[in-house]
Amino acid sequence: MTSTTRIVLGVVLAFLAAIGGVFVGRALLPQPQQPGAALHDVLHHKLTLDDNQQARLKVLEDRFAMQRRALELEMRAANTRLAEAIETEHGNGPKVAAAVDQSHAAMGELQKATLAHIFAMRQLLRPDQTSQFDAAVVKALTAGQG
């Protein structure tokens, strides 16, 4: 076997071992749950919403998805402005400070819109459903703490 063949074989084996490691890791290690996934699960699977609630929830979710997309684009634009300001000033100058403020404002707007969406969803629920929903909201907000 030539040295070139050994190198190629070693690279191929290392690649296959890495791929195998990824598959084993995904199979054995728990996947981190996305923030809000538990809340989504409660709404769509545990609260047994009636048809009217489901239809109204769909309208709210569709509207919020568009709003969230727009706010996320705004955050990306703010981050781009921040990167440009850092590149221009090479320090914490007035352009950087203004760009940071714009970025924080965009993040704050997304958080406010998310809370408004959560409260709008809560308004769809019957009194017997709200305690489980509220617990899921608290859990989503405090996940990873403690």
Side-chain angles (χ1 to χ4, degrees), residues 16-44:
L16 291 174
I19 296 295
V22 168
F23 284 117
V24 169
R26 286 183 177 220
L28 296 179
L29 300 175
Q31 297 296 312
Q33 199 173 29
Q34 294 294 325
L39 183 58
H40 184 270
D41 185 52
V42 166
L43 267 172
H44 291 279

Side-chain angles (χ1 to χ4, degrees), residues 60-116:
L60 288 176
E61 288 181 330
D62 290 347
R63 186 180 316 140
F64 179 65
M66 290 185 342
Q67 184 181 21
R68 184 183 65 227
R69 215 169 291 122
L71 290 167
E72 287 172 346
L73 288 172
E74 189 177 324
M75 284 175 29
R76 283 187 184 155
N79 285 339
T80 299
R81 288 188 295 273
L82 176 59
E84 291 168 354
I86 289 170
E87 188 173 49
T88 299
E89 293 184 327
H90 302 290
N92 198 13
K95 290 180 183 177
V96 169
V100 167
D101 289 343
Q102 289 175 345
S103 178
H104 287 175
M107 283 187 266
E109 287 305 311
L110 178 59
Q111 187 173 34
K112 288 176 188 176
T114 301
L115 289 172

